[in-house]
Amino acid sequence: EKGGHDYFMLKEIEEQPEALANTLRGHFDGGRVILDEQRLSDQDLRDVDKVFVVACGSAYHSGLVAKYAIEHWTRLPVEVELASEFRYRDPVLDRDTLVVAVSQSGETADTLEAVRHAREQKARVLAVCNTNGAQIPRESDAVLYTHAGPEIGVASTKAFLAQIAANYLVGLALAQARGTKYPDEVAREFAELEAMPAAVRKVLSTVDQVRSLGQRIAESKAVLFLGRHVGFPVALEGALKLKELAYMHAEGFAAGELKHGPIALIEDGLPVIVVMPSPKGRAVLHAKLLSNISEIQARGARTIVIAEEGDETVRPFADELVETPAVPTLLQPLVSTVPLQVLAAEIARSRGYDVDKPRNLAKSVTVE
Ligand code: M6R
C-alpha cells in the first residue's frame, strides 16, 4: 500500500502534482473562482474589510504563505494566527471580518473552537478543508475543499501544498468580488497556478539527491532553516517536518533576523538550509539572502541551498545545491517545500525512526 516506497510519506510527497491539480479542478469556471459551498452573498464578500487566517501546525504555515498573496491581490489586511492563540484572546471581529479556517482534517479542536468564537462575534467563516463533511466546514459559512485525497502520513505533505493553492483561490475570490483585480488578471493568476503541478513534478526529480543528502547530515545535532518573504514560512515548515519526524532540534528563521540573535548559533559544520528567492523575481530579496549565506558560510555553517535552476550566483556559497524550477515568486513555496519534506523523511529513516508514525503525535489533534 506504500506503492513500493520505503514509507508512505514518500508516496504522498510524490502524489503532490496530482493533489494540486485536484485542488484547482472545478474551482475556476466562466472566468470566476468557484467555492464548493457558499452561504455568503457576493455583497458579503465585497464588504470584507479584514481577513484572519486561523489554523495549527502546517495549516498555519500555509496561511503565512498566503498572507503575501492575499494582501497583494486584495489590499485587505490579513492576519495569520495560531488557532490556539486566537481563541483565547479577544480578537477584533465583526460581520465584515472574514475568518479563513484552514484544516486538513476539519476536526482540529483549537481551529474548530476558533471558528465557533468567530461566529459568535458575527464574523464570516470560510473553511479550507481536505475532509468532506468534517465539523469545521459544517460550521462555516463557505467551504473550499482541497480535494488532495486522504493523507495518511502524520506529517502533512500533499495537504499542505493543496492548502497553499486553496488559500490562493480564496485570495482570488476576494479580489474578484472586490474588483481589485480585473477578470483577465484573475484568469492569469489561475493559469499560473495551473502550471504548478508540472513544476512540482519537475522538483520531484531531486528526490534521490535530497535523500542522499539527508543520509549525510542525519547525525547532526541540529538544523537551521532560513528564508525571506514567502520563503520564511517555508523555512518554518521545513523545521516542523524535521522536528516531528526526525526528533531533531530544528528552527526556521526569517533571514533578516540573523543578526538579531540566531547567528550566534552558527558553528562549524552546522547544516543550514537556505530557501533562496528567484534572482529574477525580487532582486533585492535575492541579494540580501546571498549576503546572509556568505555570512553564515564564513562562520563555518554547512550551507544547503534550495535555489532556482540556473541561479549561478549562489553556487560559490552552497556546499550543496538543490535546484527548483523557475516559477513566479508567490508560487515558489509550492516547489521549495518539496525538498524539505524529502529531507526530513530521509533523515528520520536514516536515524531508524518510523516516518509514518512519529512518536507522540496523532494525525488529527481533536483534544487540546
Ligand atoms: O488537520 P489540521 O490541518 O487542522 O492539522 C493541523 C496540524 O495538526 C497539522 O498540520 C500538523 O502540524 C502536522 N502533523 C504537520 O505535519
Side-chain angles (χ1 to χ4, degrees):
E1 26 116 67
K2 295 176 203 160
H5 296 91
D6 293 349
Y7 36 87
F8 209 91
M9 185 181 157
L10 196 53
K11 176 171 180 284
E12 295 186 334
I13 288 172
E14 292 186 347
E15 282 169 3
Q16 291 184 114
E18 196 191 332
L20 265 184
N22 288 341
T23 302
L24 299 174
R25 185 167 306 126
H27 285 142
F28 191 74
D29 196 23
R32 293 183 65 78
V33 176
I34 317 279
L35 304 180
D36 293 289
E37 290 170 28
Q38 190 165 349
R39 296 174 280 274
L40 291 174
S41 67
D42 283 354
Q43 189 61 44
D44 292 335
L45 283 183
R46 258 195 299 283
D47 287 344
V48 169
D49 63 10
K50 181 172 53 179
V51 177
F52 278 101
V53 181
V54 294
C56 304
S58 292
Y60 167 70
H61 296 155
S62 83
L64 291 177
V65 170
K67 175 183 166 88
Y68 294 85
I70 302 178
E71 288 189 335
H72 181 58
W73 291 336
T74 66
R75 310 313 298 144
L76 286 168
V78 179
E79 287 187 42
V80 187
E81 196 158 350
L82 292 165
S84 55
E85 291 297 316
F86 176 89
R87 60 177 285 208
Y88 289 116
R89 31 178 215 102
D90 189 12
V92 182
L93 302 167
D94 60 34
R95 56 179 56 255
D96 294 334
T97 312
L98 181 69
V99 172
V100 181
V102 185
S103 174
Q104 187 286 129
S105 62
E107 304 288 350
T108 298
D110 280 317
T111 311
L112 178 58
E113 289 306 325
V115 164
R116 289 178 175 158
H117 178 71
R119 294 202 72 195
E120 273 161 26
Q121 306 291 310
K122 306 279 179 260
R124 321 285 183 171
V125 176
L126 188 160
V128 169
C129 182
N130 196 42
T131 313
N132 280 45
Q135 198 60 26
I136 291 170
R138 278 214 295 271
E139 297 196 23
S140 299
D141 300 299
V143 186
L144 186 66
Y145 282 112
T146 41
H147 299 304
E151 192 178 61
I152 309 296
V154 166
S156 187
T157 52
K158 62 179 182 173
F160 174 70
L161 258 57
Q163 283 162 347
I164 295 175
N167 294 346
Y168 279 15
L169 292 177
V170 171
L172 291 177
L174 284 169
Q176 87 192 357
R178 292 167 51 75
T180 50
K181 273 203 170 292
Y182 291 116
D184 61 318
E185 293 173 313
V186 174
R188 207 161 39 238
E189 298 293 354
F190 186 80
E192 285 184 343
L193 277 167
E194 274 192 310
M196 293 312 292
V200 174
R201 200 162 294 122
K202 207 160 169 207
V203 85
L204 286 171
S205 64
T206 63
V207 164
D208 290 344
Q209 179 201 357
V210 176
R211 287 185 76 173
S212 117
L213 167 65
Q215 289 154 20
R216 278 179 276 129
I217 63 170
E219 296 315 319
S220 308
K221 241 181 18 202
V223 178
L224 303 185
F225 294 75
L226 291 183
R228 275 179 188 259
H229 193 259
V230 287
F232 170 41
V234 172
L236 297 177
E237 175 65 7
L240 176 61
K241 292 283 94 94
L242 198 53
K243 280 175 222 172
E244 68 179 332
L245 296 173
Y247 323 145
M248 262 166 108
H249 175 226
E251 258 194 278
F253 296 108
E257 279 292 291
L258 260 183
K259 288 199 175 68
H260 301 282
I263 200 161
L265 291 169
I266 307 292
E267 56 186 29
D268 229 23
L270 178 78
V272 181
I273 320 268
V274 185
V275 182
M276 281 300 290
S278 160
K280 286 170 247 132
R282 304 283 292 274
V284 62
L285 291 177
H286 185 271
K288 293 263 151 106
L289 219 30
L290 265 190
S291 97
N292 293 143
I293 319 183
S294 71
E295 282 159 358
I296 56 171
Q297 202 188 36
R299 288 166 177 79
R302 177 169 184 178
T303 56
I304 297 158
V305 182
I306 317 290
E308 187 174 296
E309 59 194 356
D311 180 357
E312 294 303 323
T313 55
V314 293
R315 262 181 211 285
F317 305 109
D319 294 325
E320 178 93 20
L321 181 62
V322 180
E323 292 189 305
T324 55
V327 299
T329 297
L330 287 171
L331 299 180
Q332 259 192 323
L334 295 173
V335 289
S336 49
T337 302
V338 178
L340 307 190
Q341 298 167 338
V342 176
L343 188 72
E346 191 57 28
I347 293 178
R349 197 194 60 83
S350 302
R351 288 162 76 107
Y353 303 137
D354 184 339
V355 174
D356 296 319
K357 288 194 191 57
R359 70 185 181 200
N360 306 340
L361 292 171
K363 180 63 184 162
S364 74
V365 185
T366 53
V367 287
E368 299 150 44

